[in-house]
Amino acid sequence: MGNAFAGPSRTSLSPTKLPPTKPAPRAALAPTASNPSVFDLAAPAEGRLGLKQYGILPPSRPRPGQQRPCLPSEIAAILRNPTEAGRYAFRLADSGEAFGIRHALAELHRRGAMHVDEAWVRNHWVLILWKLAAYVQAQAYNAGWSVSVEEACEKWWNFETALKQLLYRYEREVNLAQRSVLKRVHEHDSSSALPMVLLVMAIRSPQEGEASRGPTLDLTDGWYRIIAQLDEPLSRAVGRGKIRAGQKLALQGARL
């Protein structure tokens, strides 16, 4: 994954409507019977494992005579276009029932996470599944080639893992009021000119009749997304392939 730096006042961030949390998390909500804690954030006694300990490393080139294993079609599709995750539902092995966004919302409510709606779940579902798909690819393609695609999918690509990620985000964002940088910018509690590191989700070419506007970028901080309109130098960098989906951009001085 590459990195690039965008200098001051070169990027314009176009706000999009964020899924609401109810109430807006300006202050932490103390755990109560009506608003319980839904995820234990305490570190385990043995300490937390990093991605390297899980075998999640940048994909390596195959050795001579080796071929990379094929990823499941749904994972490959989400890696190519993360928004496809919004339509994906996990199929349970025992019953064959499909569990997607609406089932995740119902399960959140059942466990006491009552202050979010389907739009909130959909936003995070897309980003979580994109991340989990990347975990499967990275673990299956790592330098040791010791984990099969099936083993990686069994660990990461399932409804329960996605649900745990949603519960974690609810605990951080709603119960503890720990909002991501884009959430704070959207809610006008932080300046868009602040230094921030965002990931390029997608590059959008101008539509017919909009060539003068140049390309736009879909950027994310991992929790929320925003559209970035570029100035001429950055547009040329996109055209030359210097900025690609999957890269991180260090931004400063962006305008909202």
Side-chain angles (χ1 to χ4, degrees):
M1 181 178 293
N3 298 278
F5 179 79
S9 301
R10 290 187 172 184
T11 307
S12 177
L13 302 178
S14 301
T16 54
K17 186 176 181 181
L18 285 185
T21 50
K22 303 174 291 185
R26 291 294 193 273
L29 301 177
T32 63
S34 60
N35 185 65
S37 174
V38 297
F39 192 94
D40 184 7
L41 295 175
E46 63 275 14
R48 300 189 190 278
L49 296 179
L51 294 180
K52 185 176 181 180
Q53 283 71 42
Y54 275 115
I56 298 175
L57 302 168
S60 59
R61 293 183 178 180
R63 297 171 183 169
Q66 281 185 323
Q67 288 186 339
R68 283 182 172 174
C70 292
L71 295 172
S73 58
E74 63 271 22
I75 291 180
I78 289 171
L79 289 172
R80 288 193 302 269
N81 181 9
T83 58
E84 289 291 319
R87 302 189 299 165
Y88 185 75
F90 292 99
R91 195 164 296 279
L92 302 188
D94 52 354
S95 65
E97 186 177 359
F99 271 58
I101 290 172
R102 292 183 179 179
H103 294 83
L105 177 62
E107 188 62 22
L108 286 175
H109 287 173
R110 189 184 72 82
R111 300 193 187 194
M114 303 298 297
H115 298 283
V116 291
D117 59 13
E118 186 174 326
W120 185 91
V121 175
R122 180 175 299 277
N123 169 76
H124 289 290
W125 183 265
V126 168
L127 293 169
I128 287 169
L129 263 61
W130 187 36
K131 178 176 72 173
L132 295 180
Y135 280 5
V136 171
Q137 182 189 53
Q139 194 166 40
Y141 287 5
N142 69 16
W145 293 66
S146 58
V147 178
S148 68
V149 172
E150 291 75 16
E151 290 172 321
C153 286
E154 183 178 355
K155 181 171 184 60
W156 302 110
W157 197 249
N158 56 76
F159 179 76
E160 188 60 32
T161 299
L163 181 63
K164 287 180 180 178
Q165 293 278 316
L166 288 169
L167 290 167
Y168 168 80
R169 290 176 180 231
Y170 182 93
E171 186 71 20
R172 291 281 304 273
E173 182 179 323
V174 179
N175 283 348
L176 299 181
Q178 296 175 351
R179 293 169 293 159
S180 73
V181 63
L182 287 185
K183 180 77 167 177
R184 298 196 309 270
V185 168
H186 271 289
E187 295 179 343
H188 302 285
D189 288 330
S190 290
S191 169
S192 62
L194 285 175
M196 63 184 83
V197 177
L198 302 178
L199 182 65
V200 180
M201 284 189 71
I203 299 173
R204 298 180 182 272
S205 301
Q207 300 296 319
E208 186 176 352
E210 297 180 341
S212 60
R213 295 181 57 185
T216 58
L217 302 180
D218 287 359
L219 302 177
T220 179
D221 59 7
W223 289 60
Y224 288 97
R225 292 170 279 173
I226 201 165
I227 298 172
Q229 296 177 332
L230 308 178
D231 67 359
E232 188 174 339
L234 286 177
S235 295
R236 289 199 301 267
V238 171
R240 294 196 303 268
K242 300 296 185 181
I243 297 177
R244 302 181 300 276
Q247 284 185 315
K248 292 179 180 178
L249 298 180
L251 304 177
Q252 184 174 358
R255 298 188 299 267
L256 188 62

